[in-house]
Amino acid sequence: DDYEEGTWTPTIAFGGASVGATYTSQGGVYTKTGRMVTASCYVVLSSKGTSTGAATVGGLPFTSHSVSSNYAVPALRLTIISFADFPMGYLPFNNTNINLQETTNAGATSALNDTDFANTSSIMITITYHAA
């Protein structure tokens, strides 16, 4: 009974801010059926700006469900971004920002941060999650 398609504008932030960040490409699309949302985006920076800290991709079109065990994991492609052995991310509950991380072959996980990005970094993401 509830079906919707639309666009959204993804942003890259570091430590929750994106001071001076500019984009060469910045677009996303989504489909929502009931509470199930599938969102995809492509973001290319032209300048990462001056913000520092953990990297997130924000602006998802709907807030994720508020149940504390309801995390969602994206499929992602990163270019011109440094990371340990494997890049990954997750959408926390009650949120519109995907946290970007890296993990080593030994299993140590840490956040990707501003120093891992260049002014021309790009990200492609597809994620399916339950909306609030």
Side-chain angles (χ1 to χ4, degrees), residues 105-128:
N105 285 329
T109 301
S110 62
L112 289 177
N113 61 56
D114 61 288
T115 60
D116 298 315
F117 283 68
N119 285 328
T120 56
S121 296
S122 70
I123 299 174
M124 291 180 196
I125 291 178
T126 297
I127 189 166
T128 299

Side-chain angles (χ1 to χ4, degrees), residues 53-97:
T56 60
V57 174
L60 284 168
F62 300 94
T63 301
S64 62
H65 194 271
S66 61
V67 174
S68 63
S69 61
N70 192 32
Y71 293 93
V73 178
L76 51 87
R77 179 179 187 267
L78 309 176
T79 58
I80 314 174
I81 298 173
S82 300
F83 52 86
D85 297 318
F86 188 77
M88 59 185 190
Y90 70 96
L91 174 62
F93 60 93
N94 199 33
N95 215 304
T96 58
N97 298 317

